[in-house]
Amino acid sequence: MSASQNIIDIEMMQQAINLAKCGRFTTTPNPNVGCVITKDNNIVGRGFHRKAGQGHAEVNALADAGALAIGATAYVTLEPCSHFGRTPPCAQGLIDAGIVRVVVAMTDPNPKVAGRGIAMLQDAGLKVTSGVLEGAARALNPGFLKRMEHQRPFISVKLGTTLDGCTALADGSSQWITGSDARIDVQQFRAQHCAILTGSGTVVADNPSLNLRWAEIGQVSEVIEQAQLRQPIRIVIDSTNKVTPEHKMIAIAAPIILVRRQTDDKQWPAHVEQLVMPGQGQIDLPALMTLLAQREINALWVEAGQTLCGALLENNLVDRLVIYQAPKLMGSSNKGLFSLPGVKQLHQLIELSIDELTMVGRDIRIIATPKRDLN
C-alpha cells in the first residue's frame, strides 16, 4: 500500500470514528459504530448505528451512497457482522452492494463474529485492510469490549469530594458538595451508561432519584432529541432490605434492580425487580458483575459511599475514577473516598494514572485509572 493511500485510510477512518460517537447515548447494548463509503477518495456515503434493532452503520452508509457504492471502499470502525441478529449481516450487505474494498479498524470480539465478517468479505473477493486506528476504535466502546472480553461491565466510579478528601458528613449527608456545573456534567456521563449502581446507604442518606433529567442534560440535548433519552437501569445493593417503596427513586417509572439476600412482601411497582443473590453477609460483587454482563449491561456508572466504592476497588473491579473536587474543606472527622484495609507500607498504596484534569465550573474533574491488573 502506498504512503498516500495509508494517509487517506487514516483520514477516512477518523471520519468514521467521529460518526460512531453520534450514537454514544442511544446504542446500548450494541457498540458505537461508524461507517464512511468513498469513491475515488471522495466520501459518497455516511452512516452510524443509532439504536439496537435499527440499521447498523454500514446499512445506513450504503443507503446514503446509493448506486455510488458500486466499486467503492467502505471504512468501518468495527468488523462488519456476519450473523443474523435483530438485523441481517452487514458483511453480506457490503458484498451485495458492490463494495470492492473494506477497511476495518478492529475485529469484533463478539464470539458470534470474531473474524467471520472479515472472512466472509475475503471469500467474496473483497480486499480487506484491518487495524487502521484500532486504538481510537477501541476507545469508542470500553463497555462493550469489557463485556465481550472479560464478561463484566466497564465500571466507572464517580465521587464528589472536598479538597481534603471528604465525600460526606459523618451522618452520611453529601448534598451538595460540588456545584451545579458538576451535576450537569454527571448527567452527561449517566446518559452514556447502561446502568447506575449505588448502595442502600446512599439511598437512605440522600434519597436520590438517580435518573436523567432533560432540563439538566447540558450538551446531550444537542445530539439527541428528548424522546430518544434513555433512562439507565438503576441498581441498588440492598442486602438488608433498607430501600422501601417510599424512596424517591421508586416513583420514577424506569427500571430498578434491588440486589438482595431475600425478597420482601411490600407492594412494589412493576418496574422494580428484586434480584436475590443467595448467601450471607456482603453481596459477592464479582458474581453480581457477571450477572449484569449476562443482562447485556456494558457500562456501569457508580455513585455510592465509601463502603461500596472501597469494596469495588478492593475486588479489582474499578476501571475508571471520575472525581469532582470542590474548593471546600470539611475536616478529618467526616467520610472519605474509599473504605479500604489500612495501608502500613508505601508500596501498598494504590497508584493512579491521571488521564484528564478539567475545570468544571468551580470544581476540578479528575479522570484516573487504577494502575493494576484490572480484570
Side-chain angles (χ1 to χ4, degrees), residues 128-196:
V128 179
T129 302
S130 59
V132 177
L133 295 185
E134 181 174 357
R138 288 186 66 86
L140 288 169
N141 296 295
F144 177 77
L145 297 180
K146 180 67 71 172
R147 178 166 66 88
M148 289 297 164
E149 296 173 348
H150 299 281
Q151 294 73 56
R152 72 164 176 85
F154 184 94
I155 300 173
S156 299
V157 173
K158 170 263 176 183
L159 294 153
T161 176
T162 59
L163 280 179
D164 55 347
C166 295
T167 62
L169 296 173
D171 65 2
S173 302
S174 62
Q175 295 181 332
W176 298 103
I177 290 174
T178 53
S180 58
D181 291 307
R183 294 197 287 278
I184 290 173
D185 200 58
V186 167
Q187 288 277 311
Q188 297 180 54
F189 275 104
R190 286 181 181 179
Q192 297 179 63
H193 285 74
C194 305
I196 302 172

Side-chain angles (χ1 to χ4, degrees), residues 165-310:
C166 295
T167 62
L169 296 173
D171 65 2
S173 302
S174 62
Q175 295 181 332
W176 298 103
I177 290 174
T178 53
S180 58
D181 291 307
R183 294 197 287 278
I184 290 173
D185 200 58
V186 167
Q187 288 277 311
Q188 297 180 54
F189 275 104
R190 286 181 181 179
Q192 297 179 63
H193 285 74
C194 305
I196 302 172
L197 176 71
T198 193
S200 58
T202 297
V203 174
V204 171
D206 291 342
N207 199 18
S209 297
L210 293 180
N211 66 326
L212 295 177
R213 298 178 287 275
W214 185 254
E216 302 173 25
I217 210 73
Q219 293 179 349
V220 177
S221 62
E222 299 173 8
V223 180
I224 63 174
E225 298 176 357
Q226 187 170 358
Q228 298 173 311
L229 190 67
R230 170 193 52 81
Q231 290 290 343
I233 300 169
R234 292 164 294 165
I235 305 169
V236 184
I237 295 183
D238 186 26
S239 58
T240 56
N241 294 16
K242 293 180 180 178
V243 179
T244 70
E246 287 69 43
H247 280 107
K248 188 162 62 175
M249 66 183 301
I250 305 300
I252 298 169
I256 293 174
I257 299 174
L258 302 178
V259 183
R260 296 178 150 181
R261 288 301 186 196
Q262 59 184 10
T263 60
D264 63 26
D265 56 1
K266 293 182 172 64
Q267 295 297 311
W268 295 98
H271 62 272
V272 177
E273 174 190 355
Q274 297 185 76
L275 174 61
V276 175
M277 296 192 68
Q280 301 294 324
Q282 300 298 317
I283 297 293
D284 185 330
L285 293 175
L288 174 61
M289 296 310 150
T290 300
L291 285 176
L292 296 182
Q294 292 170 355
R295 292 180 176 218
E296 296 189 315
I297 291 177
N298 292 331
L300 185 64
W301 179 255
V302 180
E303 297 187 29
Q306 63 179 4
T307 300
L308 177 52
C309 291

Side-chain angles (χ1 to χ4, degrees), residues 9-144:
D9 284 354
I10 291 172
E11 290 176 348
M12 295 303 174
M13 188 60 75
Q14 186 59 60
Q15 293 288 327
I17 287 170
N18 293 342
L19 278 170
K21 294 176 182 178
C22 296
R24 64 192 183 277
F25 301 111
T26 57
T27 61
T28 187
N30 287 1
N32 302 313
V33 183
C35 179
V36 166
I37 295 174
T38 69
K39 200 161 192 178
D40 299 324
N41 296 328
N42 294 311
I43 296 176
V44 296
R46 296 178 174 86
F48 68 94
H49 182 46
R50 186 180 297 276
K51 187 177 181 180
Q54 296 183 3
H56 287 188
E58 299 94 321
V59 171
N60 294 331
L62 288 171
D64 190 37
L68 293 175
I70 299 173
T73 296
Y75 293 84
V76 192
T77 59
L78 185 67
E79 175 185 5
C81 60
S82 56
H83 64 289
F84 280 89
R86 298 177 185 176
T87 58
C90 290
Q92 189 62 51
L94 293 170
I95 295 167
D96 294 343
I99 295 290
V100 297
R101 179 173 180 248
V102 179
V103 182
V104 178
M106 61 172 290
T107 56
D108 190 339
N110 186 339
K112 295 179 180 179
V113 186
R116 294 181 183 88
I118 290 174
M120 182 183 290
L121 296 170
Q122 292 174 328
D123 290 346
L126 281 70
K127 295 180 180 179
V128 179
T129 302
S130 59
V132 177
L133 295 185
E134 181 174 357
R138 288 186 66 86
L140 288 169
N141 296 295
F144 177 77

